Structures are given as structure tokens and as C-alpha cells.
Amino acid sequence: MVLVQGLMRAVLLRERRLLFVDEVEARQRMSELAHMNRRATAGERSVSPAHELNQPLADILINTEPAQQIYRIWHPTSARSGAPLTTSAVTVSEPLKSSAGCEPS
């Protein structure tokens, strides 16, 4: 009878230990999952401001060429061909991109 009780205790203690190990592993997995979720959320949140910054700057850069063509039509004898328009758009965009954490182009 004592031998059976000893075996039962040993089995129960082993089961308890295994349960504890499983709980620790489950907590670690939950912690890793929460960390990955936070990183994904941060990535999603950083995309929107980058888009909001780049969209108007892209429009500015796209519209400089037609503006230069119009300038050349209106001022055909001018020595300046409108290059300052492109330069100023790029000059404006670089500090904005660097302050937003984007890599300079």
C-alpha cells in the first residue's frame, strides 16, 4: 500500500512538473507573440506618415517638369531654364524625409 502511494505521488509530482514547464513555455510564446504584434503594429503605423509625406513631395517633383516647360514657353530668352524648381523641391524634401526617419534618395 505504501509502495502504491509512493508511486502515485511520484507520478503526480512528475505531472505537476511537466505542467509547470508547459506553462512557462506557453508564457514565453505569448510574450514573443505580443512582442511581434507590437513590432507589426509599429510598422503599420509608420507606413501611413511616410505615405502622407511622400505623396505631396512626389506630386511636387512630378509637376516641376511641366512648370519648367511653361516657364520656358513664357520666357524663351531667359538663361535660366527652370532648374531651381527641381532643386528647391528636392532641397525641401530631404530635411522632411530625414526628420521622418526616411533614407535620403
Side-chain angles (χ1 to χ4, degrees), residues 45-81:
R45 288 183 180 172
S46 67
V47 168
S48 180
H51 174 74
E52 294 297 324
L53 176 66
N54 286 329
Q55 188 63 36
L57 295 176
D59 288 342
I60 290 169
L61 293 174
I62 288 170
N63 289 325
T64 55
E65 187 174 339
Q68 289 172 346
Q69 291 174 356
I70 292 170
Y71 181 81
R72 287 186 201 121
I73 290 170
W74 288 351
H75 305 288
T77 58
S78 175
R80 298 180 76 166
S81 64

Side-chain angles (χ1 to χ4, degrees), residues 30-42:
M30 289 294 287
S31 176
E32 291 171 6
L33 183 60
H35 178 70
M36 290 178 3
N37 191 21
R38 285 191 298 270
R39 288 187 65 168
T41 302

